[in-house]
Amino acid sequence: MVEQDNNPPAVKRLAVIGVGLIGGSLARALRAIGQVGEVVGCGRNVAHLQRGMDLGVIDTFATDPVEAVAGADMVLVAVPLSAMRQVFAAIEPGLGPDTVISDVGSAKVSVIEDARAVLGSALDRFVPGHPIAGTEKSGVEASFPDLYRGRRVILTPMAETRPEALQLVRRVWRLAGAEVTDMAPEHHDEVLAATSHLPHVLAYGLVDTLSRWSDRDEIFQYAAGGFRDFTRIASSDPAMWRDICLANHDAVVVALERYSAALATLTDAVRERDGDQLIACFSNARDARQRFLDMLER
Ligand SMILES: NC(=O)C1=CN([C@@H]2O[C@H](COP(=O)(O)OP(=O)(O)OC[C@H]3O[C@@H](n4cnc5c(N)ncnc54)[C@H](O)[C@@H]3O)[C@@H](O)[C@H]2O)C=CC1
Ligand SMILES: O=C(O)C(=O)Cc1ccc(O)cc1
């Protein structure tokens, strides 16, 4: 049943800076339930913004960030991590005294540093956020309204974040169907380095290595479903993942080093034909993955 009533929408005017997979999906989710009055898109590419209008994701657009955020009660910054600081600086002069600003960046410490550097007096209305939902696809065409349904969103509020700003952002993500959790930004970056950033680097590393194994792509012809499952995320946007590795470098290096040590131990076990150690590793991994799947179903 679509939730629709005569109450005013949660957000009267939403400005989405960066109308791609993530920003476009939140706009679609709120529109689908009548919880946004108007969506203004902002980006650098007019053809992409026009596509967002044609798809019904945004109502209107502006390429000037100040124009885009004028009169908005909420601004969602959904651009690559390397563009965050420049976008915050560009929107700052257009923000109203009560405009709430949030972002969706995959690393949080770096985004908070960017906001602190340029958001000025609007910093107390900035709510750093990260939806743990996405796909390997990019762009507004890939956006869909149910992306956040049943998924988690992590908010990493700062000491100065106003409670009413946090409340609005929390409400918006809940309306989109997400389960919202608060977390310290440093902890967020460590956890996501392990569960998201490391697997992406591993998938890219595996496919890159195999593609160089032979000068043709011959070995891929013999890959089974497991290879496809393991490497889906290597189809993700390389520039986005470069940005994530650079923004969260300390935690990603720690995760990679821990994984490398575990891989060295596994290599020894295979070399020494230590079947017991292989069984111990594989069984523990299978049990842990089952617990993970059970958690998803709860
Ligand atoms: N793709 C995913 O699965 C997830 C991505 N994220 C984060 O969300 C953010 C956006 O990612 P996606 O939506 O996947 O990317 P996307 O490529 O689909 O969309 C990004 C949009 O930002 C625009 N853009 C780039 N630079 C800009 C600038 N300087 N000013 C205005 N617009 C600009 C692009 O033209 C594009 O429309 C990234 O920070 C990423 O780390 C978070 C969760 C999941
Ligand atoms: O495609 C997938 O499975 C993902 O893992 C998507 C994703 C990418 C980046 C994030 O910060 C969060 C989720």
Side-chain angles (χ1 to χ4, degrees):
M1 211 14 219
V2 174
E3 186 188 327
Q4 222 146 19
D5 55 36
N6 295 324
N7 293 325
V11 183
K12 288 198 274 308
R13 191 173 157 100
L14 174 70
V16 178
I17 320 294
V19 189
L21 170 70
I22 296 299
S25 294
L26 185 65
R28 284 188 195 259
L30 296 178
R31 291 174 82 103
I33 54 169
Q35 288 288 356
V36 64
E38 187 184 23
V39 182
V40 185
C42 180
R44 297 165 308 177
N45 186 319
V46 171
H48 288 171
L49 292 167
Q50 187 56 53
R51 186 84 187 112
M53 280 189 65
D54 297 344
L55 290 169
V57 176
I58 55 177
D59 296 292
T60 173
F61 66 79
T63 50
D64 174 6
V66 168
E67 203 183 309
V69 303
D73 34 2
M74 178 167 164
V75 178
L76 185 78
V77 182
V79 300
L81 285 168
S82 56
M84 288 285 177
R85 187 175 296 213
Q86 175 248 313
V87 167
F88 290 148
I91 61 172
E92 191 274 334
L95 298 169
D98 293 315
T99 312
V100 171
I101 311 107
S102 191
D103 81 297
V104 295
S106 302
K108 297 278 43 100
V109 172
S110 72
V111 172
I112 290 173
E113 275 170 18
D114 292 336
R116 281 194 195 287
V118 296
L119 268 187
S121 63
L123 194 66
D124 65 356
R125 285 164 281 130
F126 176 58
V127 182
H130 179 201
I132 313 301
T135 72
E136 70 281 15
K137 302 194 176 74
S138 298
V140 70
E141 283 87 358
S143 65
F144 58 101
D146 285 338
L147 176 61
Y148 305 115
R149 194 149 297 286
R151 309 304 294 271
R152 274 182 189 271
V153 170
I154 301 177
L155 303 180
T156 62
M158 304 163 299
E160 52 272 79
T161 307
R162 282 198 216 162
E164 60 274 23
L166 181 58
Q167 218 172 340
L168 175 67
V169 176
R170 194 178 281 139
R171 178 165 179 228
V172 161
W173 283 114
R174 281 192 182 143
L175 285 166
E179 187 186 324
V180 183
T181 312
D182 292 356
M183 207 181 263
E186 296 77 12
H187 187 54
H188 167 279
D189 284 5
E190 280 168 22
V191 170
L192 270 292
T195 57
S196 176
H197 308 170
L198 176 65
H200 278 81
V201 174
L202 296 184
Y204 281 125
L206 175 66
V207 181
D208 178 54
T209 303
L210 292 195
S211 76
R212 296 169 199 279
W213 219 264
S214 64
D215 50 10
R216 294 162 297 125
D217 283 340
E218 193 239 359
I219 51 174
F220 293 133
Q221 289 173 32
Y222 305 104
F227 180 78
R228 197 188 172 97
D229 292 348
F230 188 89
T231 60
R232 173 184 63 82
I233 53 179
S235 296
S236 307
D237 179 4
M240 176 176 131
W241 284 97
R242 174 209 52 204
D243 285 2
I244 293 171
C245 290
L246 297 182
N248 196 22
H249 51 93
D250 288 353
V252 173
V253 167
V254 168
L256 277 167
E257 285 176 349
R258 283 183 73 162
Y259 190 80
S260 298
L263 211 50
T265 304
L266 262 180
T267 306
D268 287 345
V270 175
R271 186 185 299 111
E272 288 154 22
R273 298 176 170 75
D274 186 344
D276 290 346
Q277 193 170 345
L278 294 178
I279 284 285
C281 168
F282 298 165
S283 303
N284 178 56
R286 187 173 68 171
D287 293 349
R289 186 164 192 278
Q290 189 56 51
R291 292 197 300 278
F292 162 67
L293 295 179
D294 293 345
M295 274 165 58
L296 287 185
E297 268 163 32
R298 250 185 276 136

